[in-house]
Amino acid sequence: MPTVVSGIRSTGNLHLGNYFGAVKNFIEMQHHHDTYFFIADLHSLTTHPVPQHLYGNVKQVLAEYLACGIDPEKATVFIQSDVPEVSELYLLMNMNAYLGELERTTSFKDKARQQPDNVNAGLLTYPVLMAADIIIHKANLVPVGKDQEQNLEMSRTFARRFNRMYNVELFPIPRPYVFEGQDMVKIPGLDGSGKMGKSEGNAISLADAPSVIRKKVMKAVTDSGPTEPNQQKPEVIQNLFTLLDVVSTPDVVAHFDLEYNQCSIRYGDLKKQLAEDIVKFTDPIRLRIEALLADDVYLSKVAKLGAEKARASASKTLQEVREVIGVKKFY
Ligand code: TYM
């Protein structure tokens, strides 16, 4: 059975991009695969979160994951820092990751630009930790959104390099997972360009109240409207249609598409419909998040069970890696 690993940073609430880019796919996969889903709290340290916030963020994301439908009885759900074997593999893999390739990573260059006063080594070696997360469970498939394509390509490089260096077939080469016939997903933000992101201020969170969602959607950037029938949609408008595509029914999308093509579209109507369809989708999840957040006993039970299962798998691989490298005990 193929093994699947995916994760999410604990830097903020889960948003629609996270859901449709990654979580949705792995919810479906948990029924037929050996699945590991985790909260990357160590990765989030690259941005220096306040210690008091870190724990709360992890708890929030854990509740959100479960509220989406990830079933801890089927999948192994855990917190990255509960599995110290990952940190050791990260250290070992760092020895075969080269400065030039790490510096060229787009996400590193972006982050270095965003936080010029905090260009730390953790940011540089972020893809190595991500590779360790994935290969420690010998994953074959990784459901991620388009923005993680390059990081995943680096995981493939590191896995391949390790196998080649030591002339072993220890690690499968992990592939990004998308449903057949689909491309990797990129959910746009509400600000007219780029992707929906936690730090971009353009996201709709699964935990947002309906009134907040309505306000955010009504403020989404548009243009002055089509001037010719059947003209191509500019990015700002295409973005709204992309969101409509994931939350609305095909006939709703077709209706607004036709109105756009006939130049009779009223963006206010489109936004109202989009907001209601998002609310219809997120509201049951939001209510489940609230219930889960109030159940500390259940959350800690899930985290403990997940940590045990993840450690069992991780320590087995780590032992094999140590032997291959030649790190052996004298006692
Ligand atoms: P993170 O926390 O930024 O995002 C979690 C997942 O959500 C996807 N995603 C999106 N997909 C489509 N459209 C968007 N606008 C959008 N925004 C986010 C991401 O692609 C990702 O799949 N480095 C990872 C966390 C990580 C990880 C791993 C993932 C650490 N180790 C191992 C997979 C396997 C990250 O920062 O994701």
Side-chain angles (χ1 to χ4, degrees), residues 5-11 15-23 26 38 40 43 80 126 129-131 133-134 142-149 151-152 185-189 195-198:
V5 169
S6 203
I8 186 155
R9 268 172 305 143
S10 55
T11 11
H15 53 67
L16 291 178
N18 299 133
Y19 184 87
F20 289 105
V23 178
F26 52 62
F38 70 96
H43 271 115
Q80 190 183 33
Y126 187 108
L129 180 54
M130 185 156 157
D133 289 327
I134 294 169
V142 187
V144 281
K146 179 91 181 145
D147 59 315
Q148 295 296 317
E149 192 173 19
N151 279 340
L152 194 54
V185 177
K186 177 182 158 191
I187 301 294
K195 62 156 191 160
M196 184 174 285
K198 287 169 197 152

Side-chain angles (χ1 to χ4, degrees), residues 57-281:
N57 286 347
V58 172
K59 180 179 164 189
Q60 177 80 29
V61 175
L62 177 60
E64 292 181 347
Y65 245 153
L66 299 172
C68 288
I70 290 180
D71 179 353
E73 309 255 326
K74 296 207 167 78
T76 299
V77 180
F78 65 102
I79 295 152
Q80 190 183 33
S81 61
D82 278 340
V83 184
E85 290 79 6
V86 169
S87 300
E88 184 176 334
L89 183 60
Y90 164 58
L91 181 145
L92 297 173
M93 297 303 289
N94 264 322
M95 308 305 168
N96 309 334
Y98 297 103
L99 184 61
E101 63 190 344
L102 295 171
E103 276 177 338
R104 280 193 299 275
T105 315
T106 317
S107 54
F108 172 70
K109 289 195 273 188
D110 286 349
K111 272 279 186 268
R113 220 172 296 126
Q114 280 165 16
Q115 48 183 71
D117 300 328
N118 180 20
V119 186
N120 58 65
L123 271 185
L124 185 70
T125 56
Y126 187 108
V128 187
L129 180 54
M130 185 156 157
D133 289 327
I134 294 169
I135 64 179
I136 202 150
H137 301 295
K138 300 195 176 173
N140 311 95
L141 298 170
V142 187
V144 281
K146 179 91 181 145
D147 59 315
Q148 295 296 317
E149 192 173 19
Q150 194 184 27
N151 279 340
L152 194 54
E153 195 48 50
M154 302 205 53
S155 297
R156 293 162 62 78
T157 301
F158 298 142
R160 225 183 269 123
R161 186 176 293 158
F162 184 94
N163 287 347
R164 202 180 327 113
M165 256 177 106
Y166 295 103
N167 200 19
V168 289
E169 291 286 323
L170 188 66
F171 295 124
I173 311 304
R175 284 193 291 120
Y177 181 82
V178 285
F179 285 116
E180 235 174 78
Q182 287 182 355
D183 290 330
M184 290 179 87
V185 177
K186 177 182 158 191
I187 301 294
L190 294 170
D191 52 355
S193 66
K195 62 156 191 160
M196 184 174 285
K198 287 169 197 152
S199 41
E200 279 81 350
N202 64 6
I204 292 181
S205 299
L206 301 179
D208 278 346
S211 58
V212 174
I213 293 176
R214 290 189 184 107
K215 217 180 278 163
K216 284 183 179 175
V217 174
M218 293 318 280
K219 280 210 299 218
V221 179
T222 53
D223 62 6
S224 52
T227 49
E228 281 173 38
N230 301 318
Q231 76 181 59
Q232 208 191 343
K233 300 182 185 84
E235 191 183 3
V236 278
I237 303 305
Q238 184 51 51
N239 285 353
L240 291 179
F241 275 86
T242 302
L243 288 168
L244 210 57
D245 260 336
V246 292
V247 291
S248 302
T249 54
D251 53 311
V252 166
V253 181
H255 166 76
F256 286 107
D257 215 31
L258 184 69
E259 299 232 305
Y260 187 85
N261 287 334
Q262 294 175 340
C263 301
S264 54
I265 192 159
R266 291 204 310 216
Y267 291 138
D269 294 345
L270 183 155
K271 287 178 174 181
K272 262 190 217 139
Q273 177 78 43
L274 177 61
E276 291 321 307
D277 288 342
I278 291 176
V279 168
K280 209 187 291 166
F281 172 76

